[in-house]
Amino acid sequence: MSTKKQIIERESVVVKFVGDSGDGMQLSGTLFSDTAALAGNDIATFPDYPAEIRAPHNTVAGVSGYQVHIGKETRIIGDKCDVLVAMNPASLKANLKWVKMGGTILTDVDAYDATALEKAGYTTNPLEDGSLSSYFVVSPNITTMAKETAMQLGMDMKDAARTKNMFCLGMIYYIFSFDLGTPFKLLDKRFKTKKEVADINKKVMEKGFNFAETLEVFESIYHVTTVELPKGRYRNITGNIATAWGLLAASERSGRKLFLGSYPITPATDILIELAKYKSLGAKVFQAEDEIAGICSTIGASFAGALACTSTSGPGLSLKTEALGLAVITELPIVVVDVQRGGPSTGLPTKSEQSDLNMALFGRNGEAPCIVVAASSPSDCFYQAFNAAKLAMETMTPCILLTDGYIGQGSELFRIPKVADLPEIHPPLAKPNDPDYKPYRRNPETLVRQWAIPGTEGLRHRIGGLEKSDLDGSVSTDPLNHAKMVNNRRDKVQRLATRVPQQEVFGEESGEILVVSWGGTKGQVQTAVKEMREKGQKISHTHFTNIMPMPSNTEEVLKKFKKILVCELNTGQFVNYLRMTYPHLQFQQYNKVQGLPFTVEELKQAIHNIQ
């Protein structure tokens, strides 16, 4: 007989699911976040999984996690969690530091045998030694109950044990007052060809829900504030999928067919997978044998008149640099999406850093300027992918779009826009039989050359990797011509500074302290500044999306503040770029290179410590 529970009203809650790589934590987190979104909560998610494909069972190295922040407004994933679902001792050990004091820990007592404790590095059982006294711990026999339920429905013992994540999820749904109807529909969709598997998982989830409802230890349940969203069609979307959709939208607005030539690489592969679904929209996807083939096929597609793109991460961007120089000198528009991860070399394949800015800005031989933009959130990946395609095509220059593993694989609510409401894209297409056409004749204001699609009547021409003469495109080694072409390629990028949006400031436009960020750190930095401002501190924030070139008012924004603190997830790549661009200004820096996003608390401390 269940008793009436106290309802705790919260504006936001952070839940983290952690366990071995095979424990289904990514599925659990996805189901929970999708349910929260459909229930009217704003969401932000952060998948966190090991780099090893088959890490040893029950070890800290093998822990996989999925963090979900739900509530009224969730610009960030949250510093620490209110509820930790830990499937074994190793996942508890790896994540206990991320649980708020007094937070709830739900864990499976069946997993705490002597062998598992030893592999996790415990000398005593944390469920018995008092080390968890600062938390509210619930540790039922989850595997036993899940297995019994699944086996009663005909599942074999090994597979039945794997349903324990569904039992835990059922308990979590009860704690947060969520109805089981939504996850049941999501399971039916996921296992649409295996109805019996969906039915068993639903039954185990229901068992967990009922167990939590009757368990006297839960004296209270949460009710999380919903968000009032503008009318529209919404989806819980990852940054990688949003990137793919942004490129599709740019294809439609420009009238250019979309081509993606890419080699699979963590954490960018989902862009390739997503675009492969849209042949009906004219998208062509080529899975290349390596990174070099990926970008070279992209250059060929651009020459042929397509919106041509390639996707990669840090090591792949390194391999693409020679071909990027070819795209620069031929002045062909391509989009290179770099989903950054920790480096150097193979580095931290599943962890996130802002590690490739120097490569994007300077990583090519000769004078080879590219446009560089950076997305700030999973949903912003859509708009910056669209923007990168627009800038590349309208400027006839390669554009590098920097996202990162955190926003590329994390997700948030995204209001799907109408493509017709997006800005128009006007590629500078040359007209058939134009008597004045020359391959390097330029618009006098923008210095952009025309795009002559092969096969267009009367527009035969040559471009290539050797320096060409101005206007007619003949091979030229003339020193003065080379200087002119180098300056033209540089200046057409720099002239964008007056056409991209002006740099904005959150807070006062002048004062004592300005905090600077770029790319995927926007949510954490702006939240830290906002919380400090709410306590009366005079601090402002500016966030950079356009990096090469920076907006034309950048210097005006920066010089109005006495102290400038640049925060980034590397050892100081953007701050050094600012120092070389504005040498008369003084910059301080706060950096983190742990393969983890900033926390709001550490940012607030860094701002507090500014000299």
Side-chain angles (χ1 to χ4, degrees):
M1 188 76 179
S2 62
T3 58
K4 189 173 182 180
K5 307 293 175 74
Q6 176 188 0
I7 298 177
I8 301 175
E9 298 283 347
R10 296 286 295 272
E11 285 204 350
S12 67
V13 171
V14 178
V15 183
K16 190 169 188 180
F17 301 86
V18 291
D20 259 325
S21 291
D23 283 342
M25 296 297 94
Q26 308 300 317
L27 174 59
S28 297
T30 301
L31 287 172
F32 181 74
S33 59
D34 284 350
T35 301
L38 289 168
N41 296 126
D42 197 4
I43 61 168
T45 74
F46 178 44
D48 184 21
Y49 50 92
E52 297 179 60
I53 296 174
R54 295 188 181 276
H57 186 57
N58 278 325
T59 61
V60 171
V63 173
S64 177
Y66 196 101
Q67 186 162 314
V68 185
H69 187 188
I70 68 172
K72 186 176 180 180
E73 183 180 7
T74 56
R75 293 185 298 272
I76 59 173
I77 60 167
D79 286 5
K80 292 192 174 183
C81 56
D82 300 273
V83 179
L84 177 71
V85 180
M87 303 303 296
N88 63 356
S91 58
L92 175 65
K93 188 177 185 67
N95 288 278
L96 186 60
K97 62 185 176 181
W98 302 117
V99 185
K100 295 176 182 176
M101 285 296 170
T104 298
I105 297 173
L106 174 59
T107 193
D108 181 10
V109 70
D110 290 336
Y112 287 72
D113 58 42
T115 301
L117 289 167
E118 183 180 359
K119 282 186 175 182
Y122 283 112
T123 56
T124 60
N125 189 335
L127 301 181
E128 300 171 353
D129 62 12
S131 59
L132 301 178
S133 59
S134 299
Y135 308 94
F136 179 61
V137 181
V138 182
S139 55
N141 299 91
I142 291 170
T143 298
T144 298
M145 290 187 281
K147 192 163 58 174
E148 286 176 353
T149 304
M151 289 177 67
Q152 288 172 5
L153 296 172
M155 186 173 277
D156 65 70
M157 183 181 295
K158 182 179 179 181
D159 287 338
R162 295 174 61 188
T163 65
K164 59 187 178 182
N165 64 321
M166 292 293 109
F167 191 95
C168 284
L169 198 54
M171 296 181 70
I172 293 298
Y173 272 68
Y174 170 74
I175 296 173
F176 287 97
S177 310
F178 285 155
D179 184 80
L180 292 180
T182 298
F184 283 4
K185 290 177 182 177
L186 294 171
L187 285 169
D188 284 335
K189 184 177 180 180
R190 183 177 182 87
F191 297 106
K192 59 184 177 182
T193 61
K194 298 179 180 178
K195 185 177 184 302
E196 68 283 358
V197 175
D199 290 342
I200 292 172
N201 277 286
K202 289 190 288 185
K203 195 66 178 179
V204 173
M205 188 185 294
E206 186 177 31
K207 182 76 172 181
F209 186 96
N210 293 337
F211 177 76
E213 187 177 26
T214 56
L215 191 65
E216 294 298 328
V217 70
F218 286 120
E219 297 177 351
S220 57
I221 57 177
Y222 292 97
H223 181 267
V224 183
T225 305
T226 56
V227 62
E228 292 186 12
L229 297 170
K231 289 184 67 175
R233 191 176 180 185
Y234 289 83
R235 165 164 173 171
N236 178 16
I237 197 168
T238 67
N240 283 339
I241 291 176
T243 297
W245 288 13
L247 296 174
L248 286 166
S251 172
E252 182 170 337
R253 292 300 277 163
S254 65
R256 300 288 91 203
K257 296 293 185 181
L258 177 62
F259 174 87
L260 181 82
S262 290
Y263 178 74
I265 183 172
T266 302
T269 306
D270 285 342
I271 300 171
L272 176 70
I273 294 171
E274 182 67 14
L275 284 177
K277 301 175 183 177
Y278 294 100
K279 293 180 182 178
S280 62
L281 298 181
K284 292 181 173 63
V285 173
F286 168 54
Q287 182 175 322
E289 66 269 26
D290 56 38
E291 296 283 1
I292 298 171
I295 190 170
C296 287
S297 67
T298 300
I299 293 172
S302 179
F303 177 71
L307 165 52
C309 313
T310 187
S311 55
T312 191
S313 192
L317 184 62
S318 298
L319 290 166
K320 293 180 189 292
T321 54
E322 182 182 359
L324 259 175
L326 175 60
V328 170
I329 199 169
T330 55
E331 300 188 49
L332 286 170
I334 67 171
V335 176
V336 181
V337 182
D338 176 23
V339 188
Q340 299 168 97
R341 70 191 206 190
S345 187
T346 309
L348 302 172
T350 63
K351 308 300 179 183
S352 188
E353 282 178 13
Q354 295 180 304
S355 54
D356 299 337
L357 181 59
N358 283 343
M359 176 69 72
L361 289 170
F362 311 117
R364 292 165 294 282
N365 66 296
E367 301 289 336
C370 291
I371 304 164
V372 181
V373 298
S376 62
S377 70
S379 60
D380 189 48
C381 287
F382 174 90
Y383 293 102
Q384 296 315 320
F386 183 93
N387 184 43
K390 177 178 172 67
L391 291 174
M393 285 188 285
E394 293 185 345
T395 311
M396 294 295 287
T397 299
C399 181
I400 300 173
L401 168 61
L402 297 175
T403 73
D404 59 56
Y406 161 48
I407 62 173
Q409 297 185 313
S411 67
E412 66 181 358
L413 273 186
F414 172 58
R415 186 186 183 196
I416 301 172
K418 293 181 180 178
V419 174
D421 293 338
L422 296 172
E424 294 182 353
I425 298 177
H426 300 288
L429 299 177
K431 297 178 181 179
N433 296 312
D434 181 354
D436 294 327
Y437 173 75
K438 298 289 182 182
Y440 290 102
R441 186 184 301 279
R442 301 177 186 276
N443 180 303
E445 294 182 4
T446 65
L447 299 182
V448 175
R449 79 175 189 90
Q450 289 184 307
W451 196 358
I453 309 303
T456 305
E457 188 69 29
L459 298 185
R460 286 181 295 177
H461 65 286
R462 292 185 301 175
I463 58 175
L466 290 172
E467 186 65 279
K468 299 295 190 293
S469 63
D470 191 27
L471 293 181
D472 65 19
S474 302
V475 174
S476 172
T477 57
D478 177 73
L480 295 179
N481 176 79
H482 175 58
K484 183 176 183 180
M485 295 295 277
V486 166
N487 291 337
N488 283 339
R489 292 188 289 262
R490 177 201 63 201
D491 291 347
K492 73 169 178 172
V493 172
Q494 290 298 332
R495 289 187 185 189
L496 276 176
T498 60
R499 304 204 300 274
V500 299
Q502 294 286 280
Q503 194 65 24
E504 297 181 349
V505 176
F506 170 72
E508 290 78 18
E509 295 188 357
S510 63
E512 187 71 19
I513 298 175
L514 177 68
V515 183
V516 176
S517 60
W518 68 275
T521 61
K522 180 180 181 179
Q524 290 90 339
V525 176
Q526 192 164 96
T527 299
V529 171
K530 181 174 180 287
E531 290 183 3
M532 295 181 78
R533 286 177 57 82
E534 288 172 351
K535 293 185 177 180
Q537 295 176 265
K538 299 295 184 182
I539 302 168
S540 299
H541 172 227
T542 189
H543 183 84
F544 282 84
T545 294
N546 295 286
I547 295 177
M548 173 56 76
M550 288 183 280
S552 59
N553 69 326
T554 297
E555 183 176 5
E556 289 298 312
V557 167
L558 297 175
K559 71 181 185 180
K560 291 179 180 178
F561 293 86
K562 296 179 181 178
K563 299 175 183 178
I564 305 171
L565 177 67
V566 183
C567 303
E568 49 186 324
L569 298 176
N570 53 45
T571 58
Q573 296 182 27
F574 189 59
V575 73
N576 286 335
Y577 174 50
L578 290 172
R579 285 170 178 148
M580 65 184 288
T581 308
Y582 308 108
H584 54 288
L585 298 177
Q586 296 296 313
F587 299 93
Q588 299 186 49
Q589 63 193 83
Y590 178 67
N591 304 99
K592 182 177 181 179
V593 280
Q594 301 173 15
L596 295 170
F598 284 128
T599 68
V600 173
E601 288 305 314
E602 67 190 7
L603 286 166
K604 287 161 69 174
Q605 188 61 47
I607 298 169
H608 178 76
N609 292 340
I610 193 170
Q611 300 297 314

